[in-house]
Amino acid sequence: TCAAIGMVLWNHRMNLLYGDAKYADVLERSMYNGVLAGLSLSGDKFFYVNPLSSDGSHHRVPWFDCSCCPTNIARFLPSIGNYVYAVSDNEVYVNLYLGNTGSIHLGNGLILRLQQTTQYPWNGRVEFAVQPEQEAEFGIRLRVPGWCGSVQVNVNGEAPEQIRIEQGYIRLWRRWAPGDRIVLEMDMPVERVYSHPLVMMNEGKTALQRGPLVYCLEQTDQEVPLNAVQVPSDVRFAIRHDSGLLGGITVIEGYDGAGQRRLTAVPYYAWDNREAGPMTVWIPEEQPKSLRVYTGQIVGRS
């Protein structure tokens, strides 16, 4: 958990140094997955380590002899507002999408009030109310996450003639007036993620991600033993928001060509908040090939 928080802090500073959205991508993934998984939904138990698989015996505990993770979580959560916006001269960079109202001091002395309304990370629609002190010309840069393959944006109901993306940000430069509105729509499909081929333990396996959230399988949600679940290429994914499950989450369900449910996945940050059982992030795409003993005759060697 501390390492995930360190990843957020490092990439926040790299983003400020280079103005590149790729660092905010890593910040966001670390925050939503590695950091949040370290805290129970009840808010009183903690993970020191956050494994990507469990046999059901790994659980959060109230405290550690080396108590860096609980105290780091307590420090980090109130600081999340520091990572939402960044400023450079007369431009504001929007790095995180979450419901908030920010009061931002631009380089020309103008104070900009920017309000976000969204259900992110459950869907990719974000609405902005732009409230500068008075009409003024300045820029607003909206981060396009690396997982987002398609994005649309409009200002006061009209799409820009051309969307300029610079270092991972949509750049909107214009004369803004109080009451202007921006709507950002980010496509948020279920994606298969693969690890580096040299990670041999993950050969033939995939992980599921939707938006910034990495998903996992817990045995309690499956109709078959967890080690029998597969996601071959014909599995089709559907999403379902369940406001009564784990504090309100969007669930991924996988169905085969016959419409039979093959798997149910929940966000990784929310695992181990129900009955104990196995969990995994990496899922086989097909059964591994079995080997048999060669019984033929060896006639020579070179």
Side-chain angles (χ1 to χ4, degrees):
T1 300
C2 284
I5 292 173
M7 185 72 82
V8 171
L9 300 178
W10 171 262
N11 281 279
H12 174 58
R13 285 157 175 76
M14 293 294 283
N15 174 260
L16 295 179
L17 183 61
Y18 292 106
D20 196 316
K22 67 181 180 181
Y23 299 110
D25 283 353
V26 180
L27 182 160
E28 181 182 61
R29 177 179 283 183
S30 299
M31 182 182 75
Y32 274 107
N33 302 289
V35 176
L36 286 186
L39 181 66
S40 66
L41 294 182
S42 59
D44 58 358
K45 294 182 179 179
F46 307 89
F47 276 150
Y48 196 97
V49 295
N50 295 279
L52 299 185
S53 66
S54 170
D55 62 4
S57 62
H58 185 73
H59 306 292
R60 297 178 184 88
V61 297
W63 201 249
F64 303 99
D65 291 337
C66 178
S67 59
C68 55
C69 292
T71 51
N72 229 349
I73 282 278
R75 177 188 68 165
F76 174 77
L77 292 179
S79 76
I80 290 176
N82 296 336
Y83 314 122
V84 179
Y85 302 109
V87 177
S88 176
D89 296 326
N90 292 327
E91 289 191 290
V92 56
Y93 290 66
V94 182
N95 281 323
L96 294 180
Y97 300 113
L98 47 87
N100 75 91
T101 300
S103 183
I104 302 159
H105 293 251
L106 298 178
N108 57 5
L110 182 75
I111 298 177
L112 167 65
R113 191 169 180 266
L114 195 61
Q115 182 179 27
Q116 294 189 41
T117 304
T118 183
Q119 293 181 326
Y120 190 96
W122 308 124
N123 68 54
R125 180 182 175 90
V126 189
E127 299 180 12
F128 297 87
V130 184
Q131 297 285 349
E133 290 179 307
Q134 71 253 358
E135 284 195 22
E137 187 173 341
F138 57 89
I140 297 177
R141 295 195 181 216
L142 306 175
R143 173 176 149 257
V144 180
W147 49 260
C148 180
S150 175
V151 63
Q152 296 180 340
V153 64
N154 69 66
V155 179
N156 298 330
E158 297 183 0
E161 293 184 3
Q162 184 178 7
I163 296 179
R164 294 178 55 190
I165 299 180
E166 300 177 5
Q167 290 187 288
Y169 294 92
I170 295 174
R171 187 171 188 257
L172 301 174
W173 183 278
R174 54 174 281 152
R175 189 169 185 83
W176 299 93
D180 283 345
R181 301 190 67 83
I182 305 170
V183 176
L184 178 69
E185 294 269 9
M186 294 172 285
D187 190 27
M188 195 176 277
V190 177
E191 293 185 307
R192 295 175 184 241
V193 179
Y194 300 91
S195 64
H196 192 282
L198 292 181
V199 183
M200 298 180 66
M201 289 294 292
N202 288 340
E203 185 177 358
K205 297 181 180 180
T206 187
L208 302 180
Q209 178 174 330
R210 181 175 181 268
L213 296 178
V214 174
Y215 278 70
C216 70
L217 305 185
E218 287 193 277
Q219 182 59 68
T220 186
D221 298 311
Q222 314 312 318
E223 299 176 352
V224 298
L226 192 60
N227 58 12
V229 178
Q230 302 172 53
V231 279
S233 58
D234 65 340
V235 168
R236 299 179 180 180
F237 299 110
I239 60 170
R240 172 176 57 84
H241 193 77
D242 189 335
S243 59
L245 180 62
L246 294 168
I249 61 170
T250 293
V251 173
I252 295 175
E253 296 176 327
Y255 296 86
D256 61 20
Q260 298 296 312
R261 189 170 67 182
R262 299 289 295 271
L263 62 89
T264 300
V266 299
Y268 172 74
Y269 77 80
W271 83 277
D272 193 44
N273 282 282
R274 296 175 289 175
E275 57 268 27
M279 179 279 299
T280 188
V281 168
W282 294 100
I283 316 163
E285 289 194 306
E286 58 185 29
Q287 282 283 36
K289 297 177 181 179
S290 59
L291 301 179
R292 60 183 176 85
V293 175
Y294 175 71
T295 57
Q297 183 179 9
I298 298 176
V299 297
R301 66 181 188 181
S302 58

